[in-house]
């Protein structure tokens, strides 16, 4: 493996890490499981990390008592062996409501600049978690109108002790949704994955960690021909990264040409009206079909893909990019996404041999972090 390639790949990855001045933070005793020299994630001043909070958060994450009808936990839709994503194309809530979106992997969320598939204003995990807990459309855990009943279930000796350890300053007072959210957010932040074969290769200098085929795939991934790294760049394989050393502000939402559907009501061409991406939040027409470029870490275990789980395999994802968008020839979403006028100029299509495809898939598999997927610290208590 040429030292030059390693250098250029590392340069691309680390360029976002090494920026400008450091923001001063109060010291925290929590040890982030990150590679030496990596920037630490930013944590809200009113919810510093602690092991006790992570432990409590894990207990809550796996507890079906957090849903009103006691059938669903966070972990029902965020499953460890799938990198905390799930194999369904779109999620189903505790009362059977069908969600319009695919459950995203919870991988290095502590570094996410924004949360959910398409929201440029949702930047705090604590805020975001109110959605699965209290949302009524769609219902996920369905706590709304059952607030007191759900809360009372945590009034047990075991939980009281866990809350006391996590929030000693709270002095054994009543358990609140504020404390529950803080603990859950701390657990979500603790889900750090940086031990994949790719990391062994790139950061621990282990040439043998990845195959020759995967190396060729890596070169393609970082090439100007395929452009993948423009949107899935940096150490977290997503542009949507924020950490203590990063000051540059970017708007990492893109239309990748998945759809070009005729809306029968408005007569507009674009993404299906039940999910138009960022445009729903920004109300800017040009944001139609823009979604966040997600991290590709552990991507091999988090199928199906895209915001609506509409692509089943990595091979099909690659065919989609090679074609420069998706042409749907029949059914309710019929239309040629390749011709979507709001599509990112980086999605221009490319030629790909069968060998290139095998190589790219091997490379994407080097982002699978077995230690993360089986780590008992993240598993059901
Ligand atoms: C019914 C299935 C379901 C349940 C239950 C659920 N989630 Fe999710 N989660 C989703 C879906 C779907 C999304 C994507 C939402 C969107 O983009 O609008 C999501 C998004 C997220 C995100 C944002 C991830 C990112 O990359 O931006 C986090 C964090 C999260 N969930 C954590 C949790 C926690 C913690 C719980 C328990 C309190 C929970 N979820 C319960 C399905 C679920
Ligand atoms: C213009 C920016 C851009 C480029 C270039 C790009 N992607 Fe993406 N990628 C995205 C966005 C945005 C999504 C989510 C789209 C959606 O759900 O509507 C995505 C989704 C994906 C997914 C599915 C992720 C998941 O969790 O479901 C994979 C895999 C992927 N891209 C791989 C690649 C590869 C490989 C390349 C290069 C051939 C590439 N991408 C090039 C922006 C980009």
């Amino acid at each position: 493996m040429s030292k030059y390639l390693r250098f250029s790949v590392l340069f691309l990855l680390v360029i976002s890490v090494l920026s400008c001045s450091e923001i001063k933070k109060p010291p925290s005793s929590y040890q982030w499981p990150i590679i030496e020299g990596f920037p630490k994630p930013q944590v809200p001043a009113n919810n510093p990390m602690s092991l006790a909070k992570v432990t409590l958060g894990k207990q809550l994450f796996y507890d079906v008592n957090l849903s009103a009808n006691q059938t669903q936990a966070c972990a029902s839709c965020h499953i460890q062996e799938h990198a905390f994503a799930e194999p369904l194309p779109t999620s189903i809530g505790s009362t059977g409501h069908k969600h319009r979106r695919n459950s995203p992997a919870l991988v290095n969320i502590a570094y996410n600049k924004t949360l959910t598939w398409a929201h440029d204003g949702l930047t705090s995990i604590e805020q975001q978690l109110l959605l699965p807990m209290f949302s009524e459309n769609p219902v996920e855990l369905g706590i709304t109108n059952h607030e007191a009943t759900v809360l009372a279930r945590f009034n047990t000796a075991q939980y009281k002790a866990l809350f006391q350890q996590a929030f000693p300053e709270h002095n054994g007072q009543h358990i609140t949704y504020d404390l529950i959210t803080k603990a859950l957010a701390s657990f979500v932040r603790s889900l750090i994955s940086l031990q994949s074969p790719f990391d062994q290769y790139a950061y621990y200098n282990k040439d043998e960690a990845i195959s020759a085929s995967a190396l060729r795939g890596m070169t393609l991934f970082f090439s100007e021909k395929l452009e993948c790294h423009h949107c899935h760049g940096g150490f977290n394989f997503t542009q949507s990264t924020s950490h203590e050393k990063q000051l540059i502000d970017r708007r990492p939402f893109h239309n990748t040409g998945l759809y070009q559907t005729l809306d029968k009501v408005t007569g507009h061409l674009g993404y299906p009206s039940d999910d138009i991406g960022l445009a729903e939040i920004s109300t800017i027409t040009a944001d139609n079909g823009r979604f966040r470029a997600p991290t590709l870490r552990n991507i091999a275990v988090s199928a199906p893909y895209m915001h609506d789980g509409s692509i089943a395999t990595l091979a099909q994802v690659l065919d989609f990019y090679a074609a420069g968008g998706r042409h749907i020839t029949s059914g309710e979403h019929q239309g040629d996404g390749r011709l979507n006028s709001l599509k990112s100029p980086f999605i221009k299509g490319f030629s790909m041999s069968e060998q290139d495809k095998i190589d790219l898939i091997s490379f994407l598999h080097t982002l699978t972090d077995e230690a993360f997927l089986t780590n008992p610290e993240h598993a059901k208590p």
Side-chain angles (χ1 to χ4, degrees):
M1 166 58 199
S2 96
K3 292 291 161 207
Y4 171 72
L5 177 62
R6 184 202 297 273
F7 177 76
S8 45
V9 166
L10 271 182
F11 179 73
L12 282 164
L13 289 167
V14 178
I15 194 149
S16 62
V17 174
L18 302 170
S19 55
C20 316
S21 65
E22 213 170 310
I23 300 161
K24 286 267 177 292
K25 295 253 118 186
S28 154
S29 59
Y30 182 77
Q31 292 292 316
W32 290 98
I34 58 180
I35 298 165
E36 214 188 305
F38 263 53
K40 288 191 190 123
Q42 288 176 298
V43 171
N46 70 353
N47 192 20
M49 288 293 279
S50 75
L51 210 51
K53 273 191 226 173
V54 172
T55 306
L56 168 61
K58 176 167 92 167
Q59 195 78 34
L60 292 164
F61 187 88
Y62 283 96
D63 195 339
V64 293
N65 283 312
L66 202 57
S67 59
N69 63 8
Q70 293 169 290
T71 60
Q72 201 172 50
C74 307
S76 309
C77 303
H78 296 289
I79 305 165
Q80 183 178 14
E81 61 178 300
H82 297 291
F84 296 96
E86 71 176 331
L88 286 178
T90 59
S91 291
I92 298 174
S94 58
T95 58
H97 257 199
K98 202 167 160 16
H99 203 293
R100 61 183 176 165
R101 291 187 178 158
N102 175 256
S103 162
L106 303 182
V107 171
N108 301 345
I109 297 288
Y111 286 108
N112 275 17
K113 196 180 168 63
T114 64
L115 296 154
T116 73
W117 280 100
H119 199 315
D120 58 354
L122 192 52
T123 55
S124 131
I125 300 176
E126 283 79 356
Q127 262 175 20
Q128 190 271 324
L129 294 187
L130 301 176
L131 294 173
M133 288 163 70
F134 295 102
S135 164
E136 295 179 271
N137 187 24
V139 169
E140 293 182 45
L141 298 174
I143 300 178
T144 298
N145 296 328
H146 306 277
E147 289 85 351
T149 320
V150 170
L151 213 48
R153 294 181 196 144
F154 299 101
N155 206 357
T156 63
Q158 190 208 3
Y159 268 113
K160 278 185 182 160
L162 286 170
F163 274 95
Q164 179 59 29
Q165 280 153 18
F167 302 101
E169 69 284 2
H170 195 70
N171 252 330
Q173 290 167 31
H174 285 304
I175 293 166
T176 61
Y177 283 110
D178 180 48
L179 300 185
I180 289 179
T181 313
K182 282 181 167 146
L184 280 169
S186 302
F187 174 65
V188 168
R189 288 195 177 95
S190 77
L191 302 174
I192 298 284
S193 170
L194 290 170
Q195 297 294 329
S196 66
F198 168 80
D199 296 304
Q200 299 298 328
Y201 171 81
Y203 303 115
Y204 296 97
N205 266 347
K206 289 200 183 133
D207 278 354
E208 66 291 355
I210 73 181
S211 69
S213 168
L215 274 176
R216 289 192 300 268
M218 182 193 301
T219 310
L220 286 169
F221 184 90
F222 287 101
S223 70
E224 295 302 321
K225 182 178 151 199
L226 269 68
E227 312 278 16
C228 314
H229 65 281
H230 283 290
C231 306
H232 301 284
F235 68 89
N236 207 23
F237 292 88
T238 165
Q239 258 179 340
S240 182
T241 302
S242 142
H243 51 71
E244 61 177 358
K245 294 182 185 170
Q246 189 168 46
L247 299 173
I248 313 155
D249 200 28
R250 283 174 293 198
R251 204 153 176 266
F253 298 89
H254 309 275
N255 177 320
T256 56
L258 281 170
Y259 294 102
Q260 173 80 322
T261 304
L262 183 68
D263 189 307
K264 291 190 186 70
V265 181
T266 61
H268 287 157
L269 271 176
Y271 273 47
S273 53
D274 66 335
D275 202 351
I276 54 172
L278 188 61
E280 184 175 293
I281 303 297
S282 71
T283 71
I284 299 169
T285 317
D287 286 342
N288 185 294
R290 282 182 161 210
F291 288 85
R292 186 185 69 186
T295 178
L296 299 184
R297 287 184 170 273
N298 298 295
I299 195 70
V301 301
S302 68
Y305 302 109
M306 305 303 175
H307 66 276
D308 54 1
S310 62
I311 302 188
T313 66
L314 283 178
Q316 287 163 354
V317 170
L318 294 173
D319 290 338
F320 152 76
Y321 281 113
R326 180 165 62 182
H327 186 191
I328 301 176
T329 51
S330 63
E332 62 165 332
H333 293 146
Q334 190 173 342
D336 194 347
R338 295 173 301 181
L339 307 177
N340 191 313
S341 61
L342 299 173
K343 192 181 72 166
S344 160
F346 286 124
I347 313 286
K348 52 188 170 23
F350 48 83
S351 61
M352 173 176 70
S353 69
E354 275 309 303
Q355 189 60 49
D356 290 345
K357 195 164 157 185
I358 293 167
D359 293 345
L360 278 160
I361 292 175
S362 319
F363 167 63
L364 292 171
H365 274 83
T366 69
L367 301 174
T368 304
D369 176 352
E370 288 299 335
F372 175 74
L373 301 174
T374 56
N375 187 341
E377 285 173 27
H378 307 327
K380 192 177 164 95

